[in-house]
Amino acid sequence: MFLNILPLALVDGIAYASLLFLVSMGLTLIFGVMGILNVAHGSFYAFGGYAASTLVMLLAPTTQSALIPLLSLFLTAIVVGIVLGGLMEVVLIRRTLGYDPTLKLLITFGAFLMLEDVQRLIWGAQPYSANEVVSRLGNIELGDITYTTYQLVVVPVTALVAYVALEYFLKRTNLGKQTVAITHNREVATALGINARKIGFITFVIGAVLGVLGGAMASPTTSLVPGAGTDMIVLSFAVVATAGLGQVTGALIAALLIGIVRSISVYMAPELEVAVPYIIMVLVLIIRPHGLFTVAQARTI
């Protein structure tokens, strides 16, 4: 029985892990550069989903094309991510960089609560979805199972392209190398002439765009309701903690691990589905308290 359900679980798990990774990648990038565990990142996800659903519902009646509603998801991520992330960094995050980590966590939690209220003020409590994107892209047959093209192709490819683009930015561009330098040692990087404030702003906006993109990509297959951001930020914390804070590649592997094991549990033990991500996180942290991929760091004495 396990061998029969394994291919199905793999496909479902990879699709789920792709969405989870997009949000987690933004969260871990922001922490790696700025040292802030941004609870408000869940609101980025929710705003992305609601805004994308709204835009698709407006555009879908005006065209029969599948491409325009699909492109609107990416447009939403860019615009909402830049506006929301940029405002939050300038108004709030930049002023708290010198604060105690616990206080910074509480401040972002407060921002999350305020953004949740703004979300309800704009969209109310009714569910939103951009399912028109899924229906227009059609289906793909895998054996006796029918999958949507969106779930099987678009979401995993988007996550992979985002990962490759971020890796290229960090390792191949001058701005990315400055970002990595700040991640390793902010004081030394600043002393060498790197503009830490500018890098922090760019990093936070990129992280916000990734969080919004996760919500936008989830909107065609998920019904957005109040509380969606809360669920996603908790799952993202599980991924980031499993991988190790600040580990982008580690977040990819951890998201795949959690996504696939969770999908297997849906078929084999549905009652454990909700608990699986946290069981994996706890088991990993018992063995490696700093996450699977965190490397030892030199101590300053």
Side-chain angles (χ1 to χ4, degrees):
M1 181 179 177
F2 176 76
L3 293 178
N4 291 334
I5 64 102
L6 184 59
L8 305 178
L10 285 174
V11 173
D12 291 343
I14 289 172
Y16 178 78
S18 299
L19 291 173
L20 191 55
F21 171 63
L22 283 171
V23 183
S24 302
M25 181 165 53
L27 183 66
T28 199
L29 176 67
I30 290 171
F31 180 85
V33 174
M34 307 185 77
I36 294 176
L37 202 54
N38 181 26
V39 180
H41 203 71
S43 293
F44 297 161
Y45 170 86
F47 269 78
Y50 275 107
S53 298
T54 303
L55 187 57
V56 168
M57 286 190 288
L58 290 174
L59 292 177
T62 67
T63 178
Q64 295 300 315
S65 170
L67 184 61
I68 292 177
L70 179 61
L71 290 178
S72 69
L73 302 182
F74 301 103
L75 176 63
T76 298
I78 294 171
V79 174
V80 176
I82 290 175
V83 172
L84 197 58
L87 281 174
M88 186 171 175
E89 199 281 336
V90 171
V91 174
L92 184 64
I93 301 299
R94 184 175 297 181
R95 303 171 187 273
T96 65
L97 289 178
Y99 290 9
D100 180 87
T102 304
L103 184 56
K104 288 190 285 188
L105 181 67
L106 292 174
I107 289 172
T108 61
F109 179 66
F112 169 75
L113 295 177
M114 288 188 288
L115 289 172
E116 284 285 290
D117 288 337
V118 172
Q119 169 197 307
R120 286 185 175 86
L121 182 65
I122 297 173
W123 288 285
Q126 67 269 30
Y128 277 72
S129 177
N131 52 22
E132 192 71 23
V133 176
V134 174
S135 60
R136 292 192 182 188
L137 288 174
N139 302 320
I140 295 177
E141 299 284 341
L142 284 182
D144 297 329
I145 307 298
T146 300
Y147 285 97
T148 65
T149 303
Y150 183 83
Q151 177 191 23
L152 194 66
V153 178
V154 176
V155 176
V157 168
T158 299
L160 182 61
V161 169
Y163 169 70
V164 171
L166 183 60
E167 282 290 294
Y168 181 85
F169 167 74
L170 292 175
K171 295 180 179 178
R172 301 291 182 180
T173 67
N174 185 51
L175 196 61
K177 291 176 181 178
Q178 292 179 31
T179 303
V180 173
I182 289 178
T183 302
H184 286 294
N185 195 309
R186 190 181 188 89
E187 283 188 45
V188 172
T190 303
L192 291 173
I194 295 175
N195 189 335
R197 175 172 289 187
K198 180 183 78 171
I199 297 297
F201 177 82
I202 293 171
T203 299
F204 197 87
V205 168
I206 292 174
V209 168
L210 289 170
V212 174
L213 179 60
M217 297 304 294
S219 62
T221 57
T222 304
S223 183
L224 274 298
V225 294
T230 304
D231 295 338
M232 182 51 71
I233 193 61
V234 174
L235 285 168
S236 298
F237 278 148
V239 171
V240 171
T242 301
L245 293 169
Q247 302 296 314
V248 175
T249 301
L252 173 62
I253 298 171
L256 285 170
L257 174 64
I258 288 175
I260 292 172
V261 175
R262 172 190 171 275
S263 184
I264 291 172
S265 74
V266 169
Y267 290 95
M268 302 291 291
E271 65 276 5
L272 293 178
E273 174 200 351
V274 176
V276 160
Y278 313 112
I279 293 172
I280 293 173
M281 178 186 70
V282 169
L283 291 175
V284 167
L285 294 181
I286 289 173
I287 300 169
R288 291 183 62 87
H290 298 289
L292 285 173
F293 302 98
T294 301
V295 296
Q297 297 182 349
R299 294 176 59 193
T300 302
I301 301 176

